[in-house]
Amino acid sequence: MGTNQATTASATKTFADKHPVQVMQPIHQAQWKDVPTQTIDVQGVAFAYRELGPDSGVPVIFFHHLMAVLDDWDPRVIDGIAAQRRVIAFDNRGVGASGGAVPDSVEEMGRDAILFIRAMGFQKVDLLGFSLGGGVAQMVALQAPELVRRIVLAGTGPRGGGGIEAVTKVAAMAYLKAALTWRDARHFLFFPRTPEGKRAAKDYFAALAERTQDRDKPISMQARRAQLKAIKAAGLGAPDDLSQITHPVFIANGDNDLMVASQHSADMARRLPNAKLTLYPDSGHGGVFQYHRIFVPAVLAFLAD
């Protein structure tokens, strides 16, 4: 991968077919649907996390999306990457089963994530951030670059990208449709309303339902408000100097993301000195879930370089 210029590789349509509990089996053999939830003390606050995959090598830390908890990770992505890599997904401060209150800026979320990583005893990690999690992953890379080896940013964009007003309107309409149809708003926010997109949404929610025990706590109202405030501030804030993030970065998104406009992903790829961009066709914010069969091998290959 080049070190001076972002590259773009678009998927083709030929690919489109397309707390703690008793450990029942070794972590490296477990699946996301039954891996135990654990907690770790981070400066007096309990952070909830789950880990699986090989117990050696540089771990991959997962950062989830707006209003998400551990159970909102697609197990097809988690299990696929954990087949070869140690995966750790966690609830940041105030999210899900973690203690404390959610801060209202991505900078503070990044600082909390760094505290968690260091409390786990890691000196070097890879990052995988989706949506809001991608923004937090960028903060980790900017604030503690020595901790980071490689970064995967999915369905996300840079600070100061703008368009936050449009995102608010899109989200409000999706939640209205969800209320009228008794569906999760992600049916409308993550996937296109095409036959293929509807199938992808159905498969995604079926995968999320696989875990039936030791479920995470739902997101709190305080967490929702703080995350929304943080996203608004980031969208309207001054852009970060992304040239400071010299780590290899793999950026992935759908080609028609309604929540984080796909051009923001492209803009981020241009501004990062060592980035690769993939846009999946006929997909939206949840493109990496719709195209999980392509995304997972691509991530594994990127992290193996």
Side-chain angles (χ1 to χ4, degrees):
M1 183 170 61
T3 57
N4 296 317
Q5 184 176 0
T7 58
T8 302
S10 295
T12 62
K13 293 185 180 180
T14 58
F15 290 108
D17 304 313
K18 8 209 217 218
H19 174 246
V21 297
Q22 182 180 4
V23 179
M24 302 305 294
Q25 55 183 321
I27 295 299
H28 69 278
Q29 297 176 359
Q31 292 184 306
W32 183 245
K33 65 182 177 65
D34 51 27
V35 71
T37 304
Q38 304 179 71
T39 60
I40 186 171
D41 182 274
V42 180
Q43 296 188 348
V45 177
F47 277 47
Y49 71 97
R50 296 174 189 158
E51 66 176 312
L52 67 167
D55 58 4
S56 61
V58 177
V60 187
I61 311 298
F62 277 57
F63 300 76
H64 46 46
H65 64 83
L66 170 69
M67 299 184 190
V69 297
L70 291 171
D71 297 323
D72 292 302
W73 276 115
D74 189 332
R76 300 169 301 180
V77 171
I78 295 271
D79 288 339
I81 295 174
Q84 298 183 24
R85 299 295 307 273
R86 184 179 183 182
V87 166
I88 297 172
F90 76 110
D91 285 333
N92 213 340
R93 186 184 302 270
V95 173
S98 288
V102 174
D104 58 8
S105 74
V106 290
E107 294 93 338
E108 291 180 80
M109 293 175 185
R111 284 193 286 271
D112 285 336
I114 291 166
L115 290 174
F116 168 78
I117 292 168
R118 288 180 170 152
M120 292 288 290
F122 301 132
Q123 297 182 346
K124 190 72 69 174
V125 295
D126 293 330
L127 310 178
L128 190 155
F130 172 58
S131 194
L132 171 60
V136 179
Q138 292 174 62
M139 294 300 104
V140 173
L142 287 167
Q143 294 171 7
E146 74 284 354
L147 273 181
V148 181
R149 191 184 72 105
R150 289 177 174 257
I151 308 168
V152 179
L153 299 175
T156 194
R159 178 158 47 187
I164 193 68
E165 297 82 3
V167 172
T168 302
K169 293 177 182 177
V170 168
M173 184 60 68
Y175 275 93
L176 176 59
K177 291 179 181 178
L180 293 173
T181 58
W182 296 89
R183 291 185 175 184
D184 190 294
R186 287 171 290 183
H187 277 275
F188 308 99
L189 292 172
F190 281 19
F191 304 96
R193 305 309 293 160
T194 62
E196 183 179 333
K198 291 177 181 179
R199 283 194 298 271
K202 180 180 178 181
D203 292 343
Y204 169 75
F205 284 104
L208 294 191
E210 289 177 0
R211 187 180 184 96
T212 58
Q213 296 182 342
D214 186 28
R215 300 276 296 181
D216 202 354
K217 291 183 179 179
I219 196 79
S220 70
M221 189 57 65
Q222 185 277 328
R224 292 171 185 259
R225 292 186 180 123
Q227 288 181 345
L228 288 169
K229 185 175 180 179
I231 289 173
K232 182 177 180 179
L236 298 175
D240 292 311
D241 179 5
L242 296 184
S243 68
Q244 296 181 47
I245 300 179
T246 58
H247 316 76
V249 182
F250 172 37
I251 302 170
N253 203 350
D255 65 349
N256 187 26
D257 188 340
L258 299 178
M259 296 197 71
V260 181
S262 304
Q263 69 246 31
H264 291 328
S265 293
D267 172 59
M268 188 166 57
R270 286 190 294 268
R271 292 165 52 198
L272 287 162
N274 192 8
K276 170 186 176 181
L277 171 67
T278 295
L279 294 177
Y280 299 113
D282 304 320
S283 61
H285 194 58
V288 297
F289 307 134
Q290 183 172 336
Y291 282 87
H292 65 94
R293 291 185 180 88
I294 305 171
F295 177 64
V296 167
V299 169
L300 289 172
F302 169 73
L303 296 179
D305 284 350

